[in-house]
Amino acid sequence: MNGFFNFPNRLPTNEAWKLGGSVTALGILVVFVALVLLIVLTFLYPKFFGWLLPKTAAKKLKMADKRAARKLVRAQAKAAKKATIIAVTHSDQQAASAAKSPADDSALIAAITTAIAASMGTSSNGIRIRSLRRSNVNTPAWGQEGRYEQFRY
């Protein structure tokens, strides 16, 4: 035991106090820097990983309301599109079965205007159809687009 305390590389007292003070100051500095980083990470965590956190009841209700509103808009657009398709189909059937008259053309133009307005998501006030003629193309639009894609490159 006596040899343990009398080792030859022992520091003088003033240097030992300096070294001890610097180690203590460095330790305190490291602890405070780590605490500041933890505080910053605690504040930034919801911003980056908010989708992982459980949602409150109010936030769930707000999200459900938004989801319901989007569903309602989609359903209304789908119903308007379906009604337009039915109107266009009905107008086409009437035009094919009856003789051509100005009333049939105006109904067909109204149905086409409504379909265009529904697909654009606007009202039909600013849409004006200037001419109406039958196309001689029997290929559907998706087939024409496929051919265009094949020959474009």
Side-chain angles (χ1 to χ4, degrees):
M1 221 35 182
N2 228 355
F4 179 77
F5 289 108
N6 293 332
F7 61 95
N9 294 332
R10 189 167 183 187
L11 292 174
T13 307
N14 63 348
E15 289 182 25
W17 279 100
K18 285 181 186 177
L19 183 62
S22 64
V23 167
T24 304
L26 184 64
I28 291 172
L29 181 69
V30 166
V31 167
F32 278 109
V33 167
L35 285 175
V36 168
L37 284 176
L38 282 174
I39 291 170
V40 169
L41 288 175
T42 303
F43 282 116
L44 293 180
Y45 183 79
K47 304 241 188 286
F48 292 113
F49 301 105
W51 55 275
L52 287 174
L53 297 174
K55 296 181 179 32
T56 61
K59 196 168 192 174
K60 285 181 183 179
L61 185 63
K62 186 176 178 183
M63 288 174 62
D65 287 344
K66 283 184 180 180
R67 205 174 303 122
R70 283 194 307 261
K71 247 185 194 178
L72 180 65
V73 167
R74 277 192 223 121
Q76 288 174 345
K78 190 175 181 180
K81 195 172 187 178
K82 188 175 182 179
T84 305
I85 290 171
I86 290 171
V88 169
T89 305
H90 185 64
S91 296
D92 286 344
Q93 289 171 355
Q94 283 181 348
S97 63
K100 285 283 187 178
S101 67
D104 289 338
D105 285 343
S106 64
L108 181 62
I109 290 174
I112 291 173
T113 305
T114 307
I116 292 171
S119 67
M120 291 173 55
T122 62
S123 67
S124 61
N125 293 339
I127 299 172
R128 175 171 285 158
I129 296 178
R130 296 177 189 247
S131 67
L132 184 65
R133 62 183 172 88
R134 182 173 288 277
S135 173
N136 291 329
V137 178
N138 293 330
T139 307
W142 58 268
Q144 290 176 354
E145 183 65 25
R147 288 180 188 153
Y148 176 76
E149 287 290 325
Q150 290 294 322
F151 292 110
R152 190 171 73 179
Y153 297 110

